Amino acid sequence: MNMEEITPEFIRRLKAEQMDQLSAYRQDLYKKPELRQLFFELTMRCNLECFHCGSSCSSRLDDGLPLQKYKEILDEVKENFDISKLLLCITGGEPLLRPDFFEIMEYAHSLGYRWGMTSNGTLITPEVARRLREAGMRTISISIDGLEKTHDAQRKRPGSWKAAMRGIQNLIDEGGFHAIQVTTVMNHQSMDELDDLYELFCEMDIDSWRVIGLEPIGRALEAPELMLTRKDQRRLFTFIKEKREEEMPVTYGCSHFLGVDFEREVRQWYFLCNAGLYVASIMANGDVGACLDIERSKKTVQGNIYENSFTEIWQKRFADFRRPLSLRNEECRNCEYEKWCAGGSRHSWDYENEKQRICMKGTLF
């Protein structure tokens, strides 16, 4: 094919064909899901109290399941799933606050699990970085949500930015990890820091920078004035698209169908909500669900690990996650983009009013 033939219209047609293929593949996943990511919410405790925390964590909350229960779950999952295709995703709260954190992760490593972690980075000393490598940690995402003053204010702890930045550097200095990622949640007030943050992270030897917008979940529901405006959203996605065109390792998260012009431009592939199809979670209280960012209620929790095995819950529950979310809302169901979007991300769905809180239609396309 000549370069002259690769027109914007050709690219749009190609994207449409690929999204059609993904739509058909999603229908197959509904019938035969494949567990690829299993989240362990090791604790609800956190040494920070971020205003946008999807799980509303704090220092006053408890740790998760007992050590022995995690070992039992790890044994069971290894017996019933191909763990060579599975990534164990460790989160909280701040996972490193658990006194037995390394005992859990060393046991998982001894069984052959690949694992990664989400952390606020403040507790990662050189010694902790070394132990993470020795325990087999492959990937980590550290949250930096603005320049120093903004980050500390949002996390309600002076010095948290410097501590997190030291944690990132300690991981870089240790080496031996598959990927060190920084994740930034942008809000309406912090959008003016986008370019400065880019310059900052370009100077660091990280593997990628994931930039996402503030989502209407958890404590962030109490701050609607900080949600991104339509102008903010367009600016954010244009920024990511431009940096990726320059082959810079900037990416967007898995959230939201973005329309033909931005799909595949700001992340590696097209939108697919993985909740209950590729992704499951075991919460700190033993409840089993899909993505941990999803509102926790009788509609979304699929069982409890003390009542049924994880394998049984994965195989026999999750029925509502294995059909289009758009079936719950007439406007979504009748949308011309429904085949590609299927109702959007489940974590931003309003389960009380049965509608999507974030839809990029009218903003990006």
Side-chain angles (χ1 to χ4, degrees), residues 69 92 129 149 161 246 248 274 307 324 342 356 363:
K69 192 64 177 176
K149 183 178 179 180
W161 187 88
E246 297 170 10
M248 301 303 292
N274 297 326
E307 298 171 1
Q356 186 58 254
T363 297

Side-chain angles (χ1 to χ4, degrees), residues 66-83:
L67 168 64
Q68 187 56 38
K69 192 64 177 176
Y70 282 118
K71 289 185 175 181
E72 292 173 5
I73 296 168
L74 290 166
D75 289 339
E76 177 217 328
V77 171
K78 181 176 181 179
E79 181 178 351
N80 296 315
F81 296 86
D82 181 357
I83 65 170

Side-chain angles (χ1 to χ4, degrees), residues 154-173:
Q154 291 182 9
R155 294 180 174 270
K156 300 181 181 179
R157 179 185 158 188
S160 60
W161 187 88
K162 287 181 178 177
M165 294 294 281
R166 283 196 301 270
I168 296 169
Q169 192 58 52
N170 288 334
L171 291 165
I172 293 170
D173 292 343

Side-chain angles (χ1 to χ4, degrees), residues 63-64 89 100 119 128 139 152-153 186 189 233 255 273 286 308 331:
D63 284 330
C89 304
D100 56 4
S119 171
V128 169
T139 64
D152 286 359
M186 304 300 301
Q189 289 183 353
Q233 296 280 16
S255 306
C273 185
N308 302 94
E331 184 178 357

Side-chain angles (χ1 to χ4, degrees), residues 18 40 51 125 170 212 221 226 258 339:
Q18 291 176 337
F40 277 6
F51 88 94
T125 63
N170 288 334
I212 57 180
L221 287 168
L226 294 181
L258 307 176
K339 177 170 64 172

Side-chain angles (χ1 to χ4, degrees), residues 89-359:
C89 304
I90 306 303
T91 186
E94 172 48 54
L96 289 169
L97 285 173
R98 269 195 74 119
D100 56 4
F101 170 85
F102 282 104
E103 192 168 354
I104 296 170
M105 301 324 303
E106 286 164 358
Y107 186 74
H109 183 46
S110 73
L111 293 178
Y113 281 91
R114 298 177 304 124
W115 68 276
M117 181 170 70
T118 300
S119 171
N120 63 40
T122 61
L123 304 177
I124 301 178
T125 63
E127 171 65 14
V128 169
R130 180 186 63 80
R131 294 194 67 186
L132 289 170
R133 178 184 57 77
E134 291 175 348
M137 187 182 76
R138 291 171 57 89
T139 64
I140 187 166
S141 179
I142 305 290
S143 302
I144 300 289
D145 292 322
L147 299 176
E148 183 173 0
K149 183 178 179 180
T150 298
H151 179 94
D152 286 359
Q154 291 182 9
R155 294 180 174 270
K156 300 181 181 179
R157 179 185 158 188
S160 60
W161 187 88
K162 287 181 178 177
M165 294 294 281
R166 283 196 301 270
I168 296 169
Q169 192 58 52
N170 288 334
L171 291 165
I172 293 170
D173 292 343
E174 178 63 33
F177 304 106
H178 181 71
I180 299 171
Q181 181 182 78
V182 170
T183 295
T184 299
V185 179
M186 304 300 301
N187 63 62
H188 179 60
Q189 289 183 353
S190 65
M191 279 297 294
D192 288 340
E193 299 181 358
L194 193 58
D195 291 312
D196 289 336
L197 287 168
Y198 173 75
E199 295 298 327
L200 174 68
F201 295 131
C202 278
E203 296 175 358
M204 301 180 68
D205 190 22
I206 60 174
D207 296 286
S208 63
W209 180 32
R210 185 170 71 116
V211 192
I212 57 180
L214 181 66
E215 297 285 307
I217 57 176
R219 280 198 289 260
L221 287 168
E222 301 169 12
E225 73 281 2
L226 294 181
M227 294 296 165
L228 298 185
T229 64
R230 289 187 174 185
K231 182 179 178 181
D232 292 335
Q233 296 280 16
R234 290 200 65 86
R235 179 184 173 191
L236 178 66
F237 290 113
T238 300
F239 171 88
I240 299 172
K241 181 178 178 179
E242 290 175 350
K243 297 308 179 189
R244 289 176 66 84
E245 287 171 350
E246 297 170 10
E247 298 187 352
M248 301 303 292
V250 182
T251 187
Y252 181 63
C254 61
S255 306
H256 313 305
F257 174 69
L258 307 176
V260 178
D261 289 339
F262 283 99
E263 281 294 332
R264 190 69 194 279
E265 304 299 322
V266 298
R267 55 190 166 205
Q268 290 300 106
W269 197 239
Y270 298 101
F271 169 73
L272 172 68
C273 185
N274 297 326
L277 302 178
Y278 289 146
V279 174
S281 303
I282 299 176
M283 304 173 201
N285 64 354
D287 283 344
V288 177
C291 169
L292 282 169
D293 285 335
I294 294 174
E295 173 186 315
R296 302 175 190 193
S297 69
K298 292 181 180 179
K299 292 183 177 181
T300 60
V301 172
Q302 302 301 298
N304 190 281
I305 209 73
Y306 284 108
E307 298 171 1
N308 302 94
S309 71
F310 171 78
T311 302
E312 181 180 358
I313 295 171
W314 175 258
Q315 292 177 344
K316 297 183 179 180
R317 310 284 177 86
F318 286 96
D320 197 47
F321 288 89
R322 293 165 186 170
R323 56 191 175 203
L325 188 58
S326 52
L327 295 177
R328 306 170 76 114
N329 179 280
E330 184 177 1
E331 184 178 357
C332 288
R333 192 165 57 247
N334 295 327
C335 177
E336 64 267 39
Y337 298 98
E338 189 276 338
K339 177 170 64 172
W340 297 337
C341 175
S345 291
R346 292 178 183 269
H347 76 268
S348 57
W349 190 261
D350 181 345
Y351 287 87
E352 181 177 352
N353 297 300
E354 296 294 1
K355 63 180 184 180
Q356 186 58 254
R357 290 190 176 109
I358 292 186
C359 178

